[in-house]
Protein backbone atom coordinates (compact mmCIF):
# COMPACT_ATOMS: atom_id res chain seq x y z
CA UNK A 1 0.00 0.00 0.00
CA UNK A 2 1.28 3.44 -0.87
CA UNK A 3 2.08 5.79 1.99
CA UNK A 4 -0.44 8.41 0.79
CA UNK A 5 -3.17 5.78 0.70
CA UNK A 6 -2.36 4.65 4.24
CA UNK A 7 -2.34 8.21 5.60
CA UNK A 8 -5.59 9.07 3.84
CA UNK A 9 -7.33 5.90 5.05
CA UNK A 10 -6.25 6.40 8.65
CA UNK A 11 -7.01 10.13 8.81
CA UNK A 12 -10.39 9.73 7.09
CA UNK A 13 -11.30 6.94 9.52
CA UNK A 14 -10.42 9.07 12.54
CA UNK A 15 -12.23 12.09 11.07
CA UNK A 16 -15.41 10.05 10.61
CA UNK A 17 -15.26 8.04 13.83
CA UNK A 18 -13.53 10.30 16.35
CA UNK A 19 -14.73 13.81 15.49
CA UNK A 20 -13.80 15.11 18.95
CA UNK A 21 -10.41 14.29 20.48
CA UNK A 22 -8.97 16.38 23.29
CA UNK A 23 -6.46 16.15 26.08
CA UNK A 24 -7.72 14.28 29.13
CA UNK A 25 -5.86 16.65 31.45
CA UNK A 26 -8.09 19.11 33.32
CA UNK A 27 -7.21 22.80 32.96
CA UNK A 28 -8.78 26.22 32.53
CA UNK A 29 -5.99 28.30 31.03
CA UNK A 30 -2.55 27.96 29.36
CA UNK A 31 -0.72 28.31 32.70
CA UNK A 32 -2.71 25.43 34.20
CA UNK A 33 -2.20 23.26 31.11
CA UNK A 34 1.54 23.88 31.23
CA UNK A 35 1.64 22.73 34.85
CA UNK A 36 -0.49 19.67 34.10
CA UNK A 37 1.65 18.64 31.13
CA UNK A 38 4.87 19.01 33.14
CA UNK A 39 3.34 16.87 35.88
CA UNK A 40 2.13 14.25 33.40
CA UNK A 41 5.64 13.18 32.30
CA UNK A 42 5.99 9.48 33.21
CA UNK A 43 2.66 9.70 35.04
CA UNK A 44 -0.98 9.10 34.16
CA UNK A 45 -3.39 11.94 33.34
CA UNK A 46 -5.76 10.45 35.90
CA UNK A 47 -3.24 10.83 38.71
CA UNK A 48 -2.39 14.38 37.61
CA UNK A 49 -6.09 15.34 37.54
CA UNK A 50 -6.39 14.17 41.14
CA UNK A 51 -3.82 16.59 42.46
CA UNK A 52 -4.17 19.68 40.25
CA UNK A 53 -7.39 21.10 41.78
CA UNK A 54 -5.64 21.92 45.09
CA UNK A 55 -2.51 23.08 43.28
CA UNK A 56 -4.44 25.42 40.98
CA UNK A 57 -6.54 26.69 43.90
CA UNK A 58 -3.51 27.67 46.00
CA UNK A 59 -1.24 28.76 43.13
CA UNK A 60 -3.69 30.42 40.75
CA UNK A 61 -1.08 32.41 38.80
CA UNK A 62 2.57 32.16 37.78
CA UNK A 63 3.23 35.10 40.11
CA UNK A 64 1.97 33.20 43.16
CA UNK A 65 3.80 30.02 42.17
CA UNK A 66 7.04 31.94 41.53
CA UNK A 67 6.91 33.29 45.09
CA UNK A 68 6.68 29.78 46.54
CA UNK A 69 9.38 27.14 47.09
CA UNK A 70 9.88 23.60 45.76
CA UNK A 71 9.49 22.29 49.33
CA UNK A 72 6.01 23.78 49.63
CA UNK A 73 4.95 22.66 46.14
CA UNK A 74 6.28 19.15 46.83
CA UNK A 75 3.54 18.59 49.42
CA UNK A 76 0.88 19.15 46.73
CA UNK A 77 2.43 16.87 44.13
CA UNK A 78 4.03 14.12 46.21
CA UNK A 79 1.82 11.40 44.68
CA UNK A 80 2.98 11.95 41.07
CA UNK A 81 6.17 10.40 39.71
CA UNK A 82 9.41 12.32 40.34
CA UNK A 83 7.88 14.90 42.73
CA UNK A 84 11.27 16.27 43.76
CA UNK A 85 12.31 17.24 40.26
CA UNK A 86 8.87 18.33 39.23
CA UNK A 87 8.40 20.68 42.21
CA UNK A 88 11.73 22.34 41.33
CA UNK A 89 10.69 22.57 37.69
CA UNK A 90 7.30 24.11 38.48
CA UNK A 91 8.72 26.88 40.66
CA UNK A 92 11.59 27.48 38.21
CA UNK A 93 9.15 27.56 35.31
CA UNK A 94 6.95 30.12 37.10
CA UNK A 95 9.95 32.31 37.96
CA UNK A 96 11.10 32.32 34.33
CA UNK A 97 7.57 32.98 33.07
CA UNK A 98 7.47 36.07 35.30
CA UNK A 99 11.03 37.24 34.60
CA UNK A 100 11.22 36.65 30.83
CA UNK A 101 7.69 36.32 29.48
CA UNK A 102 5.59 38.75 31.52
CA UNK A 103 3.72 35.85 33.11
CA UNK A 104 2.34 34.73 29.74
CA UNK A 105 2.93 31.20 28.41
CA UNK A 106 4.84 31.64 25.12
CA UNK A 107 3.64 30.06 21.88
CA UNK A 108 7.03 29.53 20.25
CA UNK A 109 8.45 25.99 20.55
CA UNK A 110 12.03 27.21 21.15
CA UNK A 111 10.97 29.72 23.80
CA UNK A 112 8.79 27.14 25.52
CA UNK A 113 11.75 24.77 25.72
CA UNK A 114 13.74 27.33 27.70
CA UNK A 115 11.34 26.85 30.62
CA UNK A 116 12.47 24.36 33.31
CA UNK A 117 10.72 21.02 32.94
CA UNK A 118 9.65 21.73 29.35
CA UNK A 119 11.09 19.41 26.69
CA UNK A 120 10.17 19.20 23.04
CA UNK A 121 7.10 17.05 23.68
CA UNK A 122 5.64 19.41 26.28
CA UNK A 123 6.41 22.43 24.10
CA UNK A 124 4.60 20.82 21.17
CA UNK A 125 1.56 20.02 23.32
CA UNK A 126 1.28 23.65 24.46
CA UNK A 127 1.83 25.04 20.94
CA UNK A 128 -0.78 22.68 19.54
CA UNK A 129 -3.46 22.64 22.26
CA UNK A 130 -3.25 26.29 23.39
CA UNK A 131 -2.21 28.01 20.20
CA UNK A 132 -3.56 25.55 17.63
CA UNK A 133 -0.20 25.43 15.84
CA UNK A 134 0.66 22.52 13.52
CA UNK A 135 2.95 20.95 16.14
CA UNK A 136 3.04 17.19 16.74
CA UNK A 137 3.92 16.09 20.26
CA UNK A 138 5.26 12.55 20.20
CA UNK A 139 4.80 10.60 23.40
CA UNK A 140 5.17 6.87 23.89
CA UNK A 141 1.67 6.21 22.44
CA UNK A 142 2.11 8.33 19.32
CA UNK A 143 5.55 6.80 18.75
CA UNK A 144 4.29 3.20 19.05
CA UNK A 145 1.01 3.60 17.15
CA UNK A 146 2.59 5.51 14.25
CA UNK A 147 5.20 2.77 13.86
CA UNK A 148 2.69 -0.07 14.09
CA UNK A 149 0.27 1.39 11.58
CA UNK A 150 3.14 2.21 9.25
CA UNK A 151 2.69 5.99 9.28
CA UNK A 152 6.38 6.01 10.08
CA UNK A 153 8.93 3.63 8.72
CA UNK A 154 10.35 1.95 11.85
CA UNK A 155 11.26 5.34 13.26
CA UNK A 156 13.96 5.12 15.94
CA UNK A 157 13.38 8.40 17.79
CA UNK A 158 10.43 10.63 18.74
CA UNK A 159 11.96 13.42 16.65
CA UNK A 160 12.03 11.22 13.52
CA UNK A 161 8.38 10.31 14.18
CA UNK A 162 7.45 13.97 14.67
CA UNK A 163 9.09 15.03 11.41
CA UNK A 164 7.53 12.23 9.39
CA UNK A 165 4.03 12.83 10.76
CA UNK A 166 4.25 16.59 10.27
CA UNK A 167 5.42 16.05 6.67
CA UNK A 168 2.52 13.77 5.79
CA UNK A 169 -0.49 15.00 7.76
CA UNK A 170 -2.34 18.04 6.37
CA UNK A 171 -1.51 21.07 8.53
CA UNK A 172 -5.04 21.67 9.75
CA UNK A 173 -5.34 18.09 10.99
CA UNK A 174 -2.06 17.98 12.92
CA UNK A 175 -3.40 19.25 16.29
CA UNK A 176 -6.27 16.75 16.39
CA UNK A 177 -4.16 13.91 14.91
CA UNK A 178 -1.92 14.13 17.98
CA UNK A 179 -4.94 13.37 20.20
CA UNK A 180 -6.27 10.69 17.83
CA UNK A 181 -3.00 8.77 18.05
CA UNK A 182 -2.64 9.19 21.82
CA UNK A 183 -6.19 8.07 22.56
CA UNK A 184 -5.91 5.17 20.12
CA UNK A 185 -2.70 4.05 21.83
CA UNK A 186 -4.17 4.42 25.28
CA UNK A 187 -7.38 2.48 24.67
CA UNK A 188 -7.11 0.32 21.53
CA UNK A 189 -3.60 -0.06 20.16
CA UNK A 190 -2.25 -0.71 23.65
CA UNK A 191 1.41 -1.55 24.22
CA UNK A 192 1.35 -5.23 25.21
CA UNK A 193 -1.47 -6.67 23.15
CA UNK A 194 -3.17 -4.35 20.66
CA UNK A 195 -6.94 -4.89 20.43
CA UNK A 196 -6.91 -5.41 16.65
CA UNK A 197 -10.25 -7.23 16.62
CA UNK A 198 -12.06 -4.05 17.69
CA UNK A 199 -9.89 -1.61 15.72
CA UNK A 200 -11.27 0.26 12.70
CA UNK A 201 -7.80 0.89 11.28
CA UNK A 202 -7.21 -2.71 10.22
CA UNK A 203 -7.53 -2.06 6.44
CA UNK A 204 -4.52 0.32 6.54
CA UNK A 205 -2.48 -1.06 9.44
CA UNK A 206 0.90 -2.50 8.48
CA UNK A 207 1.15 -4.51 11.72
CA UNK A 208 -2.28 -6.10 11.22
CA UNK A 209 -1.84 -6.78 7.51
CA UNK A 210 1.56 -8.39 8.13
CA UNK A 211 0.18 -10.60 10.92
CA UNK A 212 -2.52 -11.89 8.56
CA UNK A 213 -0.03 -13.14 6.00
S1 LIG B 1 -5.06 -2.97 13.78
FE1 LIG B 1 -4.07 -3.54 15.72
S2 LIG B 1 -1.95 -2.87 15.54
FE2 LIG B 1 -3.13 -1.85 13.94
S3 LIG B 1 -3.70 0.12 14.84
FE3 LIG B 1 -5.37 -1.28 15.21
S4 LIG B 1 -4.95 -2.14 17.23
FE4 LIG B 1 -3.05 -1.20 16.51
Amino acid sequence: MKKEERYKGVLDWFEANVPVAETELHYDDPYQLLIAVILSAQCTDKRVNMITPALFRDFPTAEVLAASTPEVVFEYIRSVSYPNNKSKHLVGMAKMLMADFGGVVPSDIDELQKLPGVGRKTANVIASVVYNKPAMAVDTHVFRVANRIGLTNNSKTPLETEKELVKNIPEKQIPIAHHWLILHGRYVCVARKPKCEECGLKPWCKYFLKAKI
Side-chain angles (χ1 to χ4, degrees):
M1 183 182 308
K2 279 196 184 145
K3 188 154 79 174
E4 301 79 57
E5 205 183 325
R6 171 164 284 132
Y7 267 89
K8 187 172 180 342
V10 168
L11 294 172
D12 285 355
W13 184 88
F14 276 127
E15 192 82 59
N17 291 280
V18 193
V20 178
E22 294 166 344
T23 177
E24 294 184 314
L25 291 167
H26 298 164
Y27 70 99
D28 286 330
D29 56 37
Y31 160 75
Q32 290 186 357
L33 180 65
L34 181 54
I35 290 177
V37 179
I38 290 174
L39 290 173
S40 72
Q42 314 283 322
C43 192
T44 64
D45 289 0
K46 207 171 160 189
R47 164 65 49 195
V48 172
N49 288 337
M50 286 163 77
I51 61 139
T52 44
L55 191 64
F56 295 158
R57 180 196 64 216
D58 292 352
F59 303 95
T61 62
E63 193 174 5
V64 177
L65 184 57
S68 185
T69 64
E71 292 73 26
V72 171
V73 172
F74 179 91
E75 294 306 322
Y76 288 79
I77 68 164
R78 58 187 318 148
S79 66
V80 302
S81 56
Y82 309 107
N84 258 317
N85 275 342
K86 287 178 182 174
S87 53
K88 284 182 202 146
H89 285 154
L90 289 184
V91 175
M93 174 277 285
K95 282 185 193 297
M96 192 183 276
L97 266 191
M98 292 310 299
D100 298 349
F101 299 103
V104 178
V105 176
S107 63
D108 180 78
I109 306 271
D110 294 328
E111 290 196 330
L112 279 161
Q113 285 184 88
K114 289 179 188 159
L115 296 166
V118 179
R120 189 170 180 91
K121 189 195 83 182
T122 300
N124 276 328
V125 171
I126 300 299
S128 153
V129 174
V130 175
Y131 298 107
N132 210 28
K133 287 193 171 183
M136 172 60 72
V138 176
D139 72 349
T140 175
H141 297 302
V142 175
F143 183 75
R144 180 183 70 254
V145 173
N147 262 341
R148 270 193 188 145
I149 297 175
L151 297 177
T152 48
N153 196 11
N154 288 325
S155 159
K156 298 285 181 292
T157 65
L159 188 57
E160 268 180 46
T161 299
E162 178 189 323
K163 286 186 174 161
E164 184 130 17
L165 292 176
V166 166
K167 197 169 83 187
N168 289 290
I169 298 174
E171 202 172 295
K172 68 174 183 9
Q173 278 184 314
I174 289 176
I176 194 169
H178 158 72
H179 296 299
W180 282 335
L181 294 171
I182 285 189
L183 295 174
H184 202 65
R186 208 173 270 169
Y187 299 111
V188 183
C189 193
V190 291
R192 290 232 174 120
K193 195 171 183 298
K195 301 173 183 170
C196 300
E197 63 293 343
E198 63 182 68
C199 178
L201 297 177
K202 288 195 283 285
W204 308 279
C205 177
K206 204 169 177 179
Y207 176 97
F208 179 80
L209 296 172
K210 240 185 185 169
K212 257 191 7 176
I213 295 167

